[in-house]
Structure formats: C-alpha cells, structure tokens
Amino acid sequence: MSSEKTDQLWSALHALAVLGEHGSFTAAAARLSISKAAMSQRIAELERAAGVPLVQRTTRSVRLTEAGQRLGDGTRGAFAQIQQSFAAVRDLAEAPQGLLRVTAPVAFARQQLVPRLPEFLRAHPQVRLELDLSDRLRPLAVEGFDLAVRHSAAPPETHVAWLLAHTRSLLVASRAYLRKRGAPADPQALHMHDCLHYPRAGQLAGWTLLRGDQRVVVPVAGAFSANNSEALRDAALAGLGIALVPDFSAQAALRSGQLQQVLPEWKVEGQFSETLHAIRPYAPYVPRAVEAFVAYLRQAFAGGFGA
C-alpha cells in the first residue's frame, strides 16, 4: 500500500484502536464524537484497504480479529503519544485548567491540606479540584487520580515523587491530664500513664524512643486507640492520656497551648513516616494543573509543621 493511501487512513486507524478499547460501535462513536454510521464506514474503508477482515461482529458484541488486534495494538500507542504531544503544546499557551483528581490521607487533608486549597483555587480559576480523603493506598492509574499525597518514606519506584516536607512524631498530652497525672520524666515512666496509640496489625503496642545513643522500647496501654491521628489528637485534648501523633496533627493545638509536648528531648522512631510526598505514576507529559499544584504544595509545606 502506498504511503499516500496510508495517509488517507489515519482517522480510520484511530477508529479501529478506539473500537478495540470499547468493544462497541456505539461507545467508540460516542468517544470520537461521530455517528455510528460514520464509525462503521471508517472500519469498512480500512478493511477494504487492508484486504482482510479486521472486526468480527455478532448480534451481541464486537471484537477485533487477529489482524485487527495486531493493527490496533500497533497504532494505539502512537495515537496516545500524538494526544499527549498535542496536549503538551496546548498547555504552553494556556493557564492551568481542567479537572485535577487528588487523593490524600484523612487527617492530613482535613488539618493541613483543605485549609490551603482556597488560595490555590483562587490563583487558578480554571482548575477544578476533586479531593479523595482516604488512608487506603489507592492505585492511582487504575482509579484515575492525577496525584496522591502520601505520608510515606518510600514512594513506589514506578512513580515520580516530590518531597513536600519532613515530619516528626510527637508525644502530646493536655495540660489538665499532666496536672492530674504528672509529666513522665523518662520513657520508662510511660508505664504509669494512659497511652493513646495507633494500632498496627499483628504488632504489640509499643513505642521506641531515642536520645543520643540511648534506645528504649516501651510497651504501652491505654483506654483508647485509633488508626487516625486526628482521633488520637482529639482524645488527648479531652484528657484521656498521652498520644503519639505526627507533628502536622498536633501543630495547631501546640500553638494554642491546648496540648503540651511530652519528653521533648526524646525522638520517637518507627511509628509514622518522617517525610511527606506528592506522587504520580511516571508519564512523559505532566499536565500544567498538576505541575502548578505540586509547586504550590512544595511552597506551602516547605517550612514543615513545627509548633
């Protein structure tokens, strides 16, 4: 087949690739914003040019033949690359825009992320942001997320990660609790206190504290535990005990004096990650809305969460 003839079939080749993805003339036509008749005409034109059947039709379904599958697989990546290249070029002339789907941990999102979103959205009025609050690690590409904020030390190697901030784990308690029970002088004294902890499946409740070359592992117990740092912080505010929480959960209450840090000269190890990242699956093209949001988050959280 001459190159001139092939050049006339680009739209038909794209139609075949889309048909292979959707398995339906109706759905493929809707995706391409053409009529079902026009869709059928493009496939018929391609079959005449190829000289072999490319689509097998039944009363209930449509599927590609072996030849059609091979042709669709061979061209689908090229059309995806063309689409990405066009979007990248269009982005050069446009402000960040479109839907931005982000997933983030519940406590961090409620306490730190959501309060900062109005400033970003006012600066980028053409961006619409959909935020998913979940502590479950969601598969980004499968579920259609553009970006995830993760409190994690080791982002997946298949993803691109931007460091947003360093974090610390803190022991905190209300002033009322400490007046009543006294402040522990050393880690061993935690045995005598109600300790509010984050339960880990298959692990005994215990905290590891470091100071210089000293390392102390303390079993802990208390009347309340929760797999959410915001709930632990609120329990500490209510005077239920000493809570171990990330600094971003305790920041506001420490600043206001509602909570007080316990054993501040000791570092707590291994309970929560010490880094916060923004991550997304690797792709050669990153939408401008994603780039703008990551840049904003890096600037917003650059100072960390010290009280």
Side-chain angles (χ1 to χ4, degrees), residues 5 8-9 11-12 40-50:
K5 180 63 175 178
Q8 298 170 19
L9 295 173
S11 62
S40 297
Q41 183 177 354
R42 290 186 185 182
I43 299 302
E45 180 184 1
L46 191 61
E47 287 182 320
R48 285 195 298 271

Side-chain angles (χ1 to χ4, degrees), residues 9-199:
L9 295 173
W10 292 132
S11 62
L13 286 165
H14 188 213
L16 181 71
V18 173
L19 181 61
E21 289 180 14
H22 290 275
S24 161
F25 273 91
T26 301
R31 159 80 178 278
L32 296 173
S33 300
I34 61 177
S35 68
K36 185 178 176 181
M39 182 73 190
S40 297
Q41 183 177 354
R42 290 186 185 182
I43 299 302
E45 180 184 1
L46 191 61
E47 287 182 320
R48 285 195 298 271
V52 294
L54 301 174
V55 177
Q56 187 175 55
R57 304 164 178 82
T58 69
T59 56
R60 294 188 177 182
S61 66
V62 174
R63 68 180 184 87
L64 301 188
T65 64
E66 181 181 354
Q69 191 68 52
R70 181 178 299 182
L71 186 57
D73 291 344
T75 57
R76 187 176 297 110
F79 283 115
Q81 183 61 51
I82 291 170
Q83 186 177 33
Q84 289 181 355
S85 298
F86 181 76
V89 170
R90 186 182 59 190
D91 261 0
L92 295 175
E94 295 178 346
Q97 62 179 303
L99 177 63
L100 181 60
R101 300 190 70 234
V102 179
T103 180
V106 177
F108 176 80
R110 284 170 51 90
Q111 297 164 40
Q112 299 290 345
L113 183 57
V114 171
R116 290 172 167 83
L117 294 183
E119 180 181 353
F120 173 79
L121 292 173
R122 283 193 292 268
H124 302 284
Q126 296 183 63
V127 174
R128 294 176 293 119
L129 197 149
E130 179 181 309
L131 180 62
D132 171 84
L133 276 64
S134 174
D135 292 326
R136 184 167 65 89
L137 299 182
R138 316 291 292 273
L140 305 188
V142 173
E143 299 198 18
F145 291 109
D146 299 294
L147 196 71
V149 176
R150 295 267 172 87
H151 194 204
S152 171
E157 293 183 358
T158 55
H159 290 55
V160 178
W162 295 269
L163 177 66
L164 300 182
H166 292 279
T167 68
R168 295 187 302 146
S169 298
L170 305 176
L171 295 175
V172 297
S174 70
R175 295 181 181 275
Y177 175 86
L178 294 175
R179 282 196 301 268
K180 180 180 178 181
R181 301 287 296 274
D186 53 55
Q188 288 82 359
L190 291 170
H191 287 295
M192 308 300 295
H193 285 269
D194 294 317
C195 295
L196 314 174
H197 63 279
Y198 195 113

Side-chain angles (χ1 to χ4, degrees), residues 229-245:
S229 65
E230 189 173 30
L232 294 173
R233 180 207 61 187
D234 290 350
L237 286 168
L240 292 183
I242 299 173
L244 174 56
V245 295

